[in-house]
Amino acid sequence: MKVLVINCGSSSIKYQLFNMENENVIAKGLAEKIGLPEGKIDLKITENEKKVEVVLPIPNHAVALDKVLELMTENGVIRDKSEIKAIGHRLVHAGEYYNGSVRITDDVIMRLEECSDLAPLHNPPNILGVKTCLELFPGTFMSGTFDTAFHQTMPDYAYIYPISYDYYENYKVRRYGFHGSSHSFVAARVAEMLGKNIEDTKIITCHLGNGCSIAAVDGGESVDTSMGLTPLEGIMMGTRSGDIDPALIFFLADKENGDFNAVNTMLNKNSGLKGVSGISNDMRDVRVARDNGIERAELAINIFNYRLKKYIGAYVAAMGGVDAIVFTGGIGENDWEVRQKSLDGLEFIGVEIDKELNKTIFGTEAVINTRLSKVKVFVIPTNEELVIARDAKKLYDLENL
Ligand code: ADP
């Protein structure tokens, strides 16, 4: 069974075609600069490692997807689009509506639209992706996997902000959390590697990519996570600040002639590693700058590690213990120093990593704790697309078998 996974942004579509018999990626690629005269689409075929790239005007998402299908057909990836039995969409915000993946129906689209003001940058392009696929693949089974869904198990005292309760009742202002597919994927894999039922585990999952979040997963359920109403809350990220004193917003808006938009942009796009280092949002660049003696680059890395460590400590407390800590995402999978420094000093709760082994792990699955460490520490490459494809297949099978 072939499942197509679609991740639709405002000017790009990432796609992966899975063979669900063995969960292998048959082909994947990216259509980018949609809406511009010089768009680009690429296709990478796993079997023969062939790469195809075309540059063309891509006026809209429908043209982009149509061209992707044409490239797949021309290059023998599929005979025609009827071979694709299900499409799984990566969707961002489902508010409180869904705690798992769902079959796409008119109701789901309506609710996604309803939640657009909670995720104005993500939900509208997600909806566009769904509608485009409905046009191009009439009658094909489609499902949606939400970034927020996994965290719907948080208890109310973890998700309600300590502000006037009216705002929750009137506007659904609360903590939602994101990166749900990634946190659930790596937690499930850790339980598997521990040889335990996930119900019997307490796991802290650290997703450190451009966006960063951490979750406390107790018995397989998210009981807390660092992102909140939006992905701005929590640990420090590439361009986002993470937690700040909310009064800072009014202080700065006052200094900037009441320009709240400027403050919003600063916190989301010019803060985090980029804002503090003044160099880049990319950890690799910040590290090179630090190695060249740029002090603010060093400060940025120190803040990143310190804030991550504080959250790890908080989640050990929230769960009353921890069996395993797992690192994933571009930084979590590749940056040994972040892994070491964010866990430094946590020996008193039983966390001890093998420092030499840790230094050798880049982007592969590994157990990096010492033999005597009470808490196990893992590096696990995340695979959000596979979660989406698995859910699409599961929902398809429920209706078709
Ligand atoms: P996204 O959230 O966009 O999916 P990724 O998960 O790819 O992002 O993570 C991007 C981050 O991972 C960047 O900060 C990048 O510098 C970092 N990264 C990637 N490779 C390495 C590496 N070898 N060492 C340190 N950081 C890395």
Side-chain angles (χ1 to χ4, degrees), residues 207-211 273 281-284 329-331 334-335 362:
H207 177 104
L208 311 175
N210 275 313
L273 291 173
N281 64 307
D282 191 301
M283 184 58 105
R284 286 164 292 197
I331 297 174
N334 294 295
D335 193 314
F362 298 95

Side-chain angles (χ1 to χ4, degrees), residues 50-211:
K50 186 172 171 184
K51 287 188 187 151
V52 186
E53 193 179 292
V54 289
V55 175
L56 75 172
I58 314 179
N60 55 47
H61 289 67
V63 170
L65 262 183
D66 214 26
K67 189 70 193 171
V68 166
L69 288 172
E70 195 182 305
L71 286 180
M72 288 209 260
T73 316
E74 273 172 5
N75 287 281
V77 174
I78 49 172
R79 272 190 317 279
D80 62 69
K81 63 186 178 185
S82 69
E83 256 189 86
I84 296 168
K85 291 292 173 234
I87 299 176
H89 291 270
R90 182 190 180 167
L91 305 174
V92 170
H93 217 306
E96 292 185 320
Y97 286 122
Y98 305 113
N99 59 8
S101 300
V102 289
R103 179 185 186 158
I104 302 265
T105 60
D106 289 347
D107 259 12
V108 174
I109 297 174
M110 204 176 71
R111 286 172 170 177
L112 265 172
E113 278 165 350
E114 223 179 275
C115 295
S116 277
D117 62 343
L118 291 170
L121 298 179
H122 295 101
N123 272 25
N126 288 171
I127 296 164
L128 182 61
V130 169
K131 289 185 171 169
T132 306
C133 284
L134 286 169
E135 271 170 36
L136 278 177
F137 295 86
T140 301
F141 181 90
M142 284 184 214
S143 64
T145 299
F146 301 92
D147 258 35
T148 52
F150 180 60
H151 303 298
Q152 278 297 300
T153 44
M154 283 193 284
D156 53 4
Y157 54 80
Y159 71 70
I160 294 289
Y161 286 111
I163 59 173
S164 169
Y165 195 76
D166 298 347
Y167 295 116
Y168 171 59
E169 291 184 317
N170 295 338
Y171 306 121
K172 291 284 172 234
V173 166
R174 51 159 282 182
R175 308 185 61 254
Y176 288 97
F178 298 86
H179 292 140
S181 309
S182 179
H183 290 294
S184 72
F185 177 81
V186 295
R189 183 69 189 122
V190 164
E192 207 170 67
M193 289 170 80
L194 287 171
K196 284 190 173 177
N197 279 331
I198 197 158
E199 290 78 17
D200 303 325
T201 59
K202 293 179 189 296
I203 301 170
I204 294 176
T205 52
C206 307
H207 177 104
L208 311 175
N210 275 313

Side-chain angles (χ1 to χ4, degrees), residues 319-393:
M319 292 193 288
V322 62
D323 299 311
I325 299 170
V326 50
F327 290 91
T328 192
I331 297 174
E333 291 163 29
N334 294 295
D335 193 314
W336 65 265
E337 212 182 305
V338 164
R339 296 191 296 252
Q340 182 184 313
K341 295 269 170 67
S342 62
L343 298 179
D344 250 1
L346 296 184
E347 294 79 9
F348 75 100
I349 50 168
V351 180
E352 207 182 291
I353 65 165
D354 180 332
K355 292 186 177 154
E356 290 314 308
L357 172 66
N358 178 42
K359 282 182 189 163
T360 66
I361 305 301
F362 298 95
T364 50
E365 242 178 34
V367 185
I368 56 167
N369 54 275
T370 61
R371 211 167 40 84
L372 294 178
S373 180
K374 205 161 103 293
V375 178
K376 304 280 178 280
V377 184
F378 294 83
V379 178
I380 297 185
T382 195
N383 196 339
E384 293 161 277
E385 290 77 14
L386 181 57
V387 174
I388 298 167
R390 280 178 181 165
D391 283 1
K393 179 177 186 309

